Amino acid sequence: MSIVYLVVGTVLTILFIILLFRGSKYDYLLDVLDSGDFPLKSIYSVGLAWQDMKIFKLRGKLGESLRSDTTLHYSRKYSEFYARAIWAQMLSYGHICLAVFLVAAGAATRSMSNFFLMVGMILCILELYYFGTYTKEKVKKRREECDLEFPNAVSKLALIVNSGATLHDSWEMVAYGKDGTFYDMMKNSCAEMNNGKAEVDAIHDMGALINSEEIKKFTSALIQSIERGGGDLPYFLANQSSELWAKYRQNMLQKGEKAASALLMPIALMFLGIMLIVMSAAMQSF
């Protein structure tokens, strides 16, 4: 069996090298990828070469999931490119992981060969899960950060609009007045407005990208107010600010209660440990 593992691993290694050269025509596409999100991106040409074959094209539920995640994180314009890049990442790492551990299983002793194969399979599955859900987790984290910063940003926006500034100027002042995830999203929408995009479209796209129900409700109501002429905008923003702070306090109270309940188990275990120490000391004294 070890010989079979060694042969298959060697074939996969040679195939990896062949695909690496065959996929070099895609290197110019890989250069634009962020090294932080796409480590060892130079080997992704293997995954792109695999995708040239019909059987490994991105489709099905996995394709829908990756395209949905990349649409939210990178925008619809670049979703297909990044979805294929992530799929190439998964294929490349899976290929090299199996090749390395099959060679290791073939070179190991009979008792250790199955162990190396099992470790390789587990790492391959973990790698596929990690890279497949990495963008989804980033979108979730960004949404949570935006939800925390959102009430403060709306309060500032309401204050500036009520002072007499236009919505566009107020939006820019809030966006560039502080650092943060939500403020970065506002800055992106400001750049789109300055490049000729309509205010309502830029605000709508920002809400869609953040994908928070609370923020999408706000952006939809804000767009409706703008389309009505913006006469009720100061009142609308002041009212939204009050409602958001009330919901923010409720959410913080709920999170505090959850954190307190999560501590009950460690406290119970510590109490049990102390009781066991006391009981054992008492037993020894007898």
Side-chain angles (χ1 to χ4, degrees), residues 18-44:
I18 293 171
L19 291 176
L20 191 64
F21 283 102
R22 182 177 291 180
S24 59
K25 60 184 178 181
Y26 298 115
D27 286 348
Y28 73 99
L29 294 173
L30 300 175
D31 289 339
V32 302
L33 297 176
D34 180 20
S35 300
D37 293 336
F38 297 92
L40 296 177
K41 61 184 180 180
S42 58
I43 69 169
Y44 298 174

PDB file of all heavy atoms in Angstrom, residues 18-44:
ATOM      1  N   ILE A  18       3.442  20.638 -13.710  1.00  0.00           N
ATOM      2  CA  ILE A  18       2.974  20.850 -15.082  1.00  0.00           C
ATOM      3  C   ILE A  18       1.892  21.931 -15.118  1.00  0.00           C
ATOM      4  O   ILE A  18       1.929  22.847 -15.948  1.00  0.00           O
ATOM      5  CB  ILE A  18       2.437  19.527 -15.675  1.00  0.00           C
ATOM      6  CG1 ILE A  18       3.588  18.525 -15.862  1.00  0.00           C
ATOM      7  CG2 ILE A  18       1.726  19.784 -17.005  1.00  0.00           C
ATOM      8  CD1 ILE A  18       3.124  17.135 -16.242  1.00  0.00           C
ATOM      9  N   LEU A  19       0.917  21.828 -14.182  1.00  0.00           N
ATOM     10  CA  LEU A  19      -0.174  22.802 -14.137  1.00  0.00           C
ATOM     11  C   LEU A  19       0.323  24.185 -13.731  1.00  0.00           C
ATOM     12  O   LEU A  19      -0.239  25.200 -14.138  1.00  0.00           O
ATOM     13  CB  LEU A  19      -1.260  22.329 -13.174  1.00  0.00           C
ATOM     14  CG  LEU A  19      -2.050  21.098 -13.617  1.00  0.00           C
ATOM     15  CD1 LEU A  19      -3.036  20.683 -12.529  1.00  0.00           C
ATOM     16  CD2 LEU A  19      -2.793  21.363 -14.918  1.00  0.00           C
ATOM     17  N   LEU A  20       1.385  24.214 -12.909  1.00  0.00           N
ATOM     18  CA  LEU A  20       1.957  25.495 -12.498  1.00  0.00           C
ATOM     19  C   LEU A  20       2.490  26.256 -13.713  1.00  0.00           C
ATOM     20  O   LEU A  20       2.301  27.472 -13.830  1.00  0.00           O
ATOM     21  CB  LEU A  20       3.075  25.258 -11.486  1.00  0.00           C
ATOM     22  CG  LEU A  20       3.619  26.486 -10.748  1.00  0.00           C
ATOM     23  CD1 LEU A  20       2.543  27.114  -9.881  1.00  0.00           C
ATOM     24  CD2 LEU A  20       4.819  26.091  -9.887  1.00  0.00           C
ATOM     25  N   PHE A  21       3.136  25.516 -14.621  1.00  0.00           N
ATOM     26  CA  PHE A  21       3.643  26.146 -15.842  1.00  0.00           C
ATOM     27  C   PHE A  21       2.509  26.432 -16.825  1.00  0.00           C
ATOM     28  O   PHE A  21       2.485  27.483 -17.475  1.00  0.00           O
ATOM     29  CB  PHE A  21       4.694  25.257 -16.503  1.00  0.00           C
ATOM     30  CG  PHE A  21       6.038  25.308 -15.835  1.00  0.00           C
ATOM     31  CD1 PHE A  21       6.451  24.280 -14.991  1.00  0.00           C
ATOM     32  CD2 PHE A  21       6.888  26.377 -16.040  1.00  0.00           C
ATOM     33  CE1 PHE A  21       7.688  24.327 -14.363  1.00  0.00           C
ATOM     34  CE2 PHE A  21       8.129  26.439 -15.417  1.00  0.00           C
ATOM     35  CZ  PHE A  21       8.523  25.410 -14.570  1.00  0.00           C
ATOM     36  N   ARG A  22       1.539  25.516 -16.921  1.00  0.00           N
ATOM     37  CA  ARG A  22       0.428  25.721 -17.840  1.00  0.00           C
ATOM     38  C   ARG A  22      -0.428  26.909 -17.415  1.00  0.00           C
ATOM     39  O   ARG A  22      -0.953  27.639 -18.265  1.00  0.00           O
ATOM     40  CB  ARG A  22      -0.427  24.455 -17.913  1.00  0.00           C
ATOM     41  CG  ARG A  22      -1.598  24.557 -18.885  1.00  0.00           C
ATOM     42  CD  ARG A  22      -2.364  23.269 -18.975  1.00  0.00           C
ATOM     43  NE  ARG A  22      -1.581  22.225 -19.620  1.00  0.00           N
ATOM     44  CZ  ARG A  22      -2.033  20.984 -19.822  1.00  0.00           C
ATOM     45  NH1 ARG A  22      -3.237  20.645 -19.406  1.00  0.00           N
ATOM     46  NH2 ARG A  22      -1.267  20.093 -20.419  1.00  0.00           N
ATOM     47  N   GLY A  23      -0.562  27.098 -16.115  1.00  0.00           N
ATOM     48  CA  GLY A  23      -1.383  28.193 -15.616  1.00  0.00           C
ATOM     49  C   GLY A  23      -0.650  29.508 -15.489  1.00  0.00           C
ATOM     50  O   GLY A  23      -1.210  30.498 -15.009  1.00  0.00           O
ATOM     51  N   SER A  24       0.624  29.548 -15.933  1.00  0.00           N
ATOM     52  CA  SER A  24       1.398  30.791 -15.817  1.00  0.00           C
ATOM     53  C   SER A  24       0.811  31.919 -16.664  1.00  0.00           C
ATOM     54  O   SER A  24       1.097  33.092 -16.435  1.00  0.00           O
ATOM     55  CB  SER A  24       2.852  30.543 -16.235  1.00  0.00           C
ATOM     56  OG  SER A  24       2.924  30.078 -17.578  1.00  0.00           O
ATOM     57  N   LYS A  25      -0.051  31.579 -17.622  1.00  0.00           N
ATOM     58  CA  LYS A  25      -0.695  32.617 -18.440  1.00  0.00           C
ATOM     59  C   LYS A  25      -1.654  33.477 -17.618  1.00  0.00           C
ATOM     60  O   LYS A  25      -2.074  34.552 -18.063  1.00  0.00           O
ATOM     61  CB  LYS A  25      -1.444  31.972 -19.606  1.00  0.00           C
ATOM     62  CG  LYS A  25      -2.546  31.004 -19.169  1.00  0.00           C
ATOM     63  CD  LYS A  25      -3.185  30.309 -20.357  1.00  0.00           C
ATOM     64  CE  LYS A  25      -4.248  29.307 -19.904  1.00  0.00           C
ATOM     65  NZ  LYS A  25      -4.865  28.587 -21.052  1.00  0.00           N
ATOM     66  N   TYR A  26      -2.004  32.990 -16.394  1.00  0.00           N
ATOM     67  CA  TYR A  26      -2.902  33.742 -15.524  1.00  0.00           C
ATOM     68  C   TYR A  26      -2.153  34.559 -14.462  1.00  0.00           C
ATOM     69  O   TYR A  26      -2.796  35.164 -13.598  1.00  0.00           O
ATOM     70  CB  TYR A  26      -3.867  32.786 -14.808  1.00  0.00           C
ATOM     71  CG  TYR A  26      -4.765  32.007 -15.728  1.00  0.00           C
ATOM     72  CD1 TYR A  26      -4.659  30.618 -15.829  1.00  0.00           C
ATOM     73  CD2 TYR A  26      -5.742  32.647 -16.484  1.00  0.00           C
ATOM     74  CE1 TYR A  26      -5.490  29.890 -16.668  1.00  0.00           C
ATOM     75  CE2 TYR A  26      -6.581  31.925 -17.327  1.00  0.00           C
ATOM     76  CZ  TYR A  26      -6.454  30.548 -17.412  1.00  0.00           C
ATOM     77  OH  TYR A  26      -7.281  29.835 -18.230  1.00  0.00           O
ATOM     78  N   ASP A  27      -0.831  34.571 -14.534  1.00  0.00           N
ATOM     79  CA  ASP A  27      -0.050  35.255 -13.492  1.00  0.00           C
ATOM     80  C   ASP A  27      -0.394  36.738 -13.384  1.00  0.00           C
ATOM     81  O   ASP A  27      -0.381  37.313 -12.300  1.00  0.00           O
ATOM     82  CB  ASP A  27       1.451  35.094 -13.762  1.00  0.00           C
ATOM     83  CG  ASP A  27       1.937  33.682 -13.434  1.00  0.00           C
ATOM     84  OD1 ASP A  27       1.177  32.933 -12.792  1.00  0.00           O
ATOM     85  OD2 ASP A  27       3.069  33.339 -13.826  1.00  0.00           O
ATOM     86  N   TYR A  28      -0.699  37.364 -14.503  1.00  0.00           N
ATOM     87  CA  TYR A  28      -1.013  38.799 -14.482  1.00  0.00           C
ATOM     88  C   TYR A  28      -2.301  39.072 -13.697  1.00  0.00           C
ATOM     89  O   TYR A  28      -2.490  40.156 -13.134  1.00  0.00           O
ATOM     90  CB  TYR A  28      -1.133  39.337 -15.906  1.00  0.00           C
ATOM     91  CG  TYR A  28      -2.388  38.913 -16.648  1.00  0.00           C
ATOM     92  CD1 TYR A  28      -3.491  39.766 -16.731  1.00  0.00           C
ATOM     93  CD2 TYR A  28      -2.475  37.660 -17.259  1.00  0.00           C
ATOM     94  CE1 TYR A  28      -4.644  39.384 -17.402  1.00  0.00           C
ATOM     95  CE2 TYR A  28      -3.623  37.272 -17.924  1.00  0.00           C
ATOM     96  CZ  TYR A  28      -4.704  38.129 -17.994  1.00  0.00           C
ATOM     97  OH  TYR A  28      -5.837  37.749 -18.654  1.00  0.00           O
ATOM     98  N   LEU A  29      -3.199  38.088 -13.642  1.00  0.00           N
ATOM     99  CA  LEU A  29      -4.429  38.231 -12.861  1.00  0.00           C
ATOM    100  C   LEU A  29      -4.144  38.084 -11.370  1.00  0.00           C
ATOM    101  O   LEU A  29      -4.757  38.761 -10.538  1.00  0.00           O
ATOM    102  CB  LEU A  29      -5.460  37.183 -13.287  1.00  0.00           C
ATOM    103  CG  LEU A  29      -6.016  37.285 -14.707  1.00  0.00           C
ATOM    104  CD1 LEU A  29      -6.888  36.077 -15.021  1.00  0.00           C
ATOM    105  CD2 LEU A  29      -6.829  38.567 -14.875  1.00  0.00           C
ATOM    106  N   LEU A  30      -3.207  37.201 -11.044  1.00  0.00           N
ATOM    107  CA  LEU A  30      -2.902  36.933  -9.640  1.00  0.00           C
ATOM    108  C   LEU A  30      -2.135  38.086  -8.994  1.00  0.00           C
ATOM    109  O   LEU A  30      -2.159  38.228  -7.772  1.00  0.00           O
ATOM    110  CB  LEU A  30      -2.083  35.644  -9.523  1.00  0.00           C
ATOM    111  CG  LEU A  30      -2.759  34.374 -10.065  1.00  0.00           C
ATOM    112  CD1 LEU A  30      -1.799  33.196 -10.014  1.00  0.00           C
ATOM    113  CD2 LEU A  30      -4.022  34.054  -9.276  1.00  0.00           C
ATOM    114  N   ASP A  31      -1.470  38.902  -9.796  1.00  0.00           N
ATOM    115  CA  ASP A  31      -0.669  40.003  -9.246  1.00  0.00           C
ATOM    116  C   ASP A  31      -1.517  41.013  -8.484  1.00  0.00           C
ATOM    117  O   ASP A  31      -1.026  41.664  -7.559  1.00  0.00           O
ATOM    118  CB  ASP A  31       0.087  40.723 -10.369  1.00  0.00           C
ATOM    119  CG  ASP A  31       1.216  39.870 -10.936  1.00  0.00           C
ATOM    120  OD1 ASP A  31       1.662  38.944 -10.220  1.00  0.00           O
ATOM    121  OD2 ASP A  31       1.637  40.120 -12.083  1.00  0.00           O
ATOM    122  N   VAL A  32      -2.783  41.165  -8.847  1.00  0.00           N
ATOM    123  CA  VAL A  32      -3.635  42.186  -8.210  1.00  0.00           C
ATOM    124  C   VAL A  32      -4.210  41.706  -6.878  1.00  0.00           C
ATOM    125  O   VAL A  32      -4.800  42.498  -6.137  1.00  0.00           O
ATOM    126  CB  VAL A  32      -4.786  42.603  -9.151  1.00  0.00           C
ATOM    127  CG1 VAL A  32      -4.244  43.123 -10.458  1.00  0.00           C
ATOM    128  CG2 VAL A  32      -5.752  41.453  -9.396  1.00  0.00           C
ATOM    129  N   LEU A  33      -4.062  40.424  -6.555  1.00  0.00           N
ATOM    130  CA  LEU A  33      -4.622  39.890  -5.315  1.00  0.00           C
ATOM    131  C   LEU A  33      -3.809  40.355  -4.111  1.00  0.00           C
ATOM    132  O   LEU A  33      -2.586  40.448  -4.173  1.00  0.00           O
ATOM    133  CB  LEU A  33      -4.642  38.358  -5.355  1.00  0.00           C
ATOM    134  CG  LEU A  33      -5.513  37.710  -6.435  1.00  0.00           C
ATOM    135  CD1 LEU A  33      -5.347  36.195  -6.400  1.00  0.00           C
ATOM    136  CD2 LEU A  33      -6.983  38.083  -6.240  1.00  0.00           C
ATOM    137  N   ASP A  34      -4.500  40.620  -3.018  1.00  0.00           N
ATOM    138  CA  ASP A  34      -3.860  41.040  -1.781  1.00  0.00           C
ATOM    139  C   ASP A  34      -3.182  39.834  -1.130  1.00  0.00           C
ATOM    140  O   ASP A  34      -3.819  38.803  -0.898  1.00  0.00           O
ATOM    141  CB  ASP A  34      -4.907  41.630  -0.833  1.00  0.00           C
ATOM    142  CG  ASP A  34      -4.313  42.096   0.484  1.00  0.00           C
ATOM    143  OD1 ASP A  34      -3.091  42.324   0.536  1.00  0.00           O
ATOM    144  OD2 ASP A  34      -5.064  42.222   1.470  1.00  0.00           O
ATOM    145  N   SER A  35      -1.891  39.971  -0.836  1.00  0.00           N
ATOM    146  CA  SER A  35      -1.132  38.855  -0.250  1.00  0.00           C
ATOM    147  C   SER A  35      -1.634  38.473   1.139  1.00  0.00           C
ATOM    148  O   SER A  35      -1.456  37.342   1.574  1.00  0.00           O
ATOM    149  CB  SER A  35       0.358  39.219  -0.177  1.00  0.00           C
ATOM    150  OG  SER A  35       0.870  39.475  -1.466  1.00  0.00           O
ATOM    151  N   GLY A  36      -2.247  39.416   1.849  1.00  0.00           N
ATOM    152  CA  GLY A  36      -2.780  39.105   3.174  1.00  0.00           C
ATOM    153  C   GLY A  36      -3.963  38.159   3.105  1.00  0.00           C
ATOM    154  O   GLY A  36      -4.064  37.205   3.894  1.00  0.00           O
ATOM    155  N   ASP A  37      -4.872  38.398   2.151  1.00  0.00           N
ATOM    156  CA  ASP A  37      -6.046  37.538   1.980  1.00  0.00           C
ATOM    157  C   ASP A  37      -5.748  36.317   1.127  1.00  0.00           C
ATOM    158  O   ASP A  37      -6.454  35.305   1.230  1.00  0.00           O
ATOM    159  CB  ASP A  37      -7.191  38.325   1.342  1.00  0.00           C
ATOM    160  CG  ASP A  37      -7.724  39.410   2.255  1.00  0.00           C
ATOM    161  OD1 ASP A  37      -7.550  39.284   3.479  1.00  0.00           O
ATOM    162  OD2 ASP A  37      -8.308  40.394   1.740  1.00  0.00           O
ATOM    163  N   PHE A  38      -4.720  36.408   0.294  1.00  0.00           N
ATOM    164  CA  PHE A  38      -4.394  35.310  -0.620  1.00  0.00           C
ATOM    165  C   PHE A  38      -2.915  34.947  -0.493  1.00  0.00           C
ATOM    166  O   PHE A  38      -2.099  35.302  -1.342  1.00  0.00           O
ATOM    167  CB  PHE A  38      -4.714  35.713  -2.064  1.00  0.00           C
ATOM    168  CG  PHE A  38      -6.173  35.981  -2.314  1.00  0.00           C
ATOM    169  CD1 PHE A  38      -6.685  37.259  -2.193  1.00  0.00           C
ATOM    170  CD2 PHE A  38      -7.033  34.950  -2.645  1.00  0.00           C
ATOM    171  CE1 PHE A  38      -8.025  37.525  -2.415  1.00  0.00           C
ATOM    172  CE2 PHE A  38      -8.378  35.189  -2.871  1.00  0.00           C
ATOM    173  CZ  PHE A  38      -8.876  36.477  -2.748  1.00  0.00           C
ATOM    174  N   PRO A  39      -2.536  34.260   0.602  1.00  0.00           N
ATOM    175  CA  PRO A  39      -1.123  33.883   0.794  1.00  0.00           C
ATOM    176  C   PRO A  39      -0.657  32.890  -0.271  1.00  0.00           C
ATOM    177  O   PRO A  39      -1.428  32.068  -0.757  1.00  0.00           O
ATOM    178  CB  PRO A  39      -1.127  33.240   2.188  1.00  0.00           C
ATOM    179  CG  PRO A  39      -2.535  32.788   2.419  1.00  0.00           C
ATOM    180  CD  PRO A  39      -3.398  33.773   1.700  1.00  0.00           C
ATOM    181  N   LEU A  40       0.624  32.983  -0.630  1.00  0.00           N
ATOM    182  CA  LEU A  40       1.225  32.124  -1.660  1.00  0.00           C
ATOM    183  C   LEU A  40       0.411  32.155  -2.951  1.00  0.00           C
ATOM    184  O   LEU A  40       0.160  31.112  -3.572  1.00  0.00           O
ATOM    185  CB  LEU A  40       1.356  30.680  -1.150  1.00  0.00           C
ATOM    186  CG  LEU A  40       2.294  30.455   0.041  1.00  0.00           C
ATOM    187  CD1 LEU A  40       2.249  28.994   0.477  1.00  0.00           C
ATOM    188  CD2 LEU A  40       3.716  30.852  -0.312  1.00  0.00           C
ATOM    189  N   LYS A  41       0.019  33.359  -3.368  1.00  0.00           N
ATOM    190  CA  LYS A  41      -0.862  33.487  -4.531  1.00  0.00           C
ATOM    191  C   LYS A  41      -0.189  33.029  -5.830  1.00  0.00           C
ATOM    192  O   LYS A  41      -0.879  32.768  -6.823  1.00  0.00           O
ATOM    193  CB  LYS A  41      -1.333  34.931  -4.666  1.00  0.00           C
ATOM    194  CG  LYS A  41      -0.210  35.953  -4.866  1.00  0.00           C
ATOM    195  CD  LYS A  41      -0.757  37.370  -4.894  1.00  0.00           C
ATOM    196  CE  LYS A  41       0.365  38.391  -5.102  1.00  0.00           C
ATOM    197  NZ  LYS A  41      -0.165  39.779  -5.121  1.00  0.00           N
ATOM    198  N   SER A  42       1.112  32.903  -5.826  1.00  0.00           N
ATOM    199  CA  SER A  42       1.810  32.497  -7.047  1.00  0.00           C
ATOM    200  C   SER A  42       1.482  31.068  -7.465  1.00  0.00           C
ATOM    201  O   SER A  42       1.654  30.707  -8.630  1.00  0.00           O
ATOM    202  CB  SER A  42       3.325  32.642  -6.861  1.00  0.00           C
ATOM    203  OG  SER A  42       3.769  31.864  -5.762  1.00  0.00           O
ATOM    204  N   ILE A  43       0.996  30.246  -6.511  1.00  0.00           N
ATOM    205  CA  ILE A  43       0.664  28.854  -6.863  1.00  0.00           C
ATOM    206  C   ILE A  43      -0.793  28.704  -7.314  1.00  0.00           C
ATOM    207  O   ILE A  43      -1.212  27.614  -7.692  1.00  0.00           O
ATOM    208  CB  ILE A  43       0.940  27.882  -5.692  1.00  0.00           C
ATOM    209  CG1 ILE A  43      -0.044  28.126  -4.545  1.00  0.00           C
ATOM    210  CG2 ILE A  43       2.371  27.998  -5.212  1.00  0.00           C
ATOM    211  CD1 ILE A  43      -0.014  27.038  -3.482  1.00  0.00           C
ATOM    212  N   TYR A  44      -1.561  29.799  -7.284  1.00  0.00           N
ATOM    213  CA  TYR A  44      -2.975  29.691  -7.642  1.00  0.00           C
ATOM    214  C   TYR A  44      -3.177  29.433  -9.125  1.00  0.00           C
ATOM    215  O   TYR A  44      -4.283  29.100  -9.562  1.00  0.00           O
ATOM    216  CB  TYR A  44      -3.743  30.955  -7.249  1.00  0.00           C
ATOM    217  CG  TYR A  44      -3.753  31.252  -5.769  1.00  0.00           C
ATOM    218  CD1 TYR A  44      -4.301  32.426  -5.278  1.00  0.00           C
ATOM    219  CD2 TYR A  44      -3.197  30.360  -4.846  1.00  0.00           C
ATOM    220  CE1 TYR A  44      -4.312  32.716  -3.929  1.00  0.00           C
ATOM    221  CE2 TYR A  44      -3.198  30.640  -3.500  1.00  0.00           C
ATOM    222  CZ  TYR A  44      -3.745  31.824  -3.037  1.00  0.00           C
ATOM    223  OH  TYR A  44      -3.743  32.101  -1.700  1.00  0.00           O
TER     224      TYR A  44
END
